[in-house]
Amino acid sequence: QVQLQESGPGLVKPSETLSLTCTVSGGSISSHFWSWVRQTPGKGLEWIGYIYSNGNTDHNPSLKNRVTISMDTSRNQFSLRLTSVTAADTAVYYCVRHYAGDRGSFDYWGQGTLVIVSS
Amino acid sequence: DIQLTQSPSLLSASVGDRVTITCRASQDTSTYLAWYQQKPGQAPKRLIYGASTLQSGVPSRFSGSGSGTEFTLTISSLQPEDFATYYCQQLNSYPRTFGGGTKVEI
């Protein structure tokens, strides 16, 4: 059974960088696409970006170029960095796995981690 | 970006009711659509993918249909554990987008 677990600071100051890591167990990160998704009461569910096992990435243009997603195959982890955060980046952040079929719906989700942006 | 509009946003129903939720896409998404269920304090859980394929382990009272720009999620007989918020997601193009959600309440 694949499991995903987010980790990282729950509080980030405005203008600083949000950094989260997703640890994958029960399966290798060296396959599938992996994404970050966030959820806010106001904007609902928002896809942030993905990384593929070959290192290719893409991100939501709405986040401008503030997003970096990377992976560490030796640790079976992938990570999110979001720079220049504001209060609007306060959200629950989820890491997810893309299903290998159907163009990649999200078949496994982490439990989510709340990140608050505040001074 | 493909916009997904779900209706209704809030649905009041009773145990045993047949419930239908609609998801309309701003562009043709073929059958590249998934449905998720989210309960308070939990991550979303995939129910249906490919517009109509039921996730393994999901009760058969859930079904999905549609293609192109109009999709539906139907719960044939609402059970107490089905009170939750439901989201659609399009998989036709990036950025992946979600509907605004439909909360099913008693």
Side-chain angles (χ1 to χ4, degrees):
Chain A
Q1 177 78 347
V2 175
Q3 293 185 312
L4 293 83
Q5 178 69 59
E6 305 88 354
S7 59
L11 180 65
V12 181
K13 289 183 169 54
S15 80
E16 294 191 346
T17 297
L18 179 160
S19 294
L20 296 174
T21 295
C22 181
T23 302
V24 179
S25 57
S28 172
I29 200 174
S30 299
S31 64
H32 295 276
F33 286 73
W34 305 87
S35 272
W36 289 95
V37 175
R38 68 183 183 180
Q39 185 171 31
T40 62
K43 289 190 71 177
L45 289 162
E46 181 180 29
W47 173 75
I48 297 170
Y50 74 69
I51 188 164
Y52 184 48
S53 54
N54 64 2
N56 285 353
T57 62
D58 190 12
H59 65 270
N60 196 322
S62 69
L63 294 167
K64 307 291 191 292
N65 288 316
R66 299 192 294 132
V67 174
T68 302
I69 300 176
S70 59
M71 65 174 19
D72 183 340
T73 54
S74 67
R75 297 188 176 189
N76 228 35
Q77 295 175 332
F78 64 103
S79 298
L80 169 69
R81 292 181 74 248
L82 182 65
T83 61
S84 305
V85 297
T86 69
D89 296 308
T90 293
V92 176
Y93 286 77
Y94 296 99
C95 57
V96 302
R97 190 187 84 165
H98 294 223
Y99 177 55
D102 87 320
R103 289 201 180 182
S105 54
F106 301 157
D107 59 352
Y108 288 97
W109 295 64
Q111 64 185 29
T113 188
L114 174 62
V115 178
I116 297 172
V117 178
S118 175
S119 56
Chain B
D1 299 4
I2 296 177
Q3 311 301 319
L4 297 178
T5 303
Q6 286 184 235
S7 59
S9 55
L10 178 64
L11 193 158
S12 297
S14 301
V15 172
D17 284 354
R18 181 181 181 87
V19 164
T20 298
I21 299 168
T22 297
C23 177
R24 288 189 173 86
S26 61
Q27 301 173 37
D28 187 343
T29 65
S30 185
T31 57
Y32 300 121
L33 189 111
W35 289 96
Y36 300 86
Q37 176 193 65
Q38 186 177 33
K39 296 180 179 179
Q42 297 183 17
K45 167 189 161 185
R46 189 178 69 168
L47 295 177
I48 285 168
Y49 58 97
S52 60
T53 302
L54 200 63
Q55 168 75 28
S56 174
V58 172
S60 59
R61 61 181 179 272
F62 290 92
S63 64
S65 65
S67 65
T69 61
E70 186 150 339
F71 302 85
T72 58
L73 172 70
T74 300
I75 309 172
S76 60
S77 178
L78 200 64
Q79 298 302 300
E81 60 269 29
D82 301 336
F83 291 96
T85 301
Y86 295 84
Y87 296 94
C88 56
Q89 178 202 22
Q90 64 81 19
L91 304 157
N92 188 64
S93 64
Y94 282 98
R96 298 292 194 245
T97 50
F98 294 86
T102 296
K103 184 177 181 180
V104 177
E105 66 171 23
I106 300 173

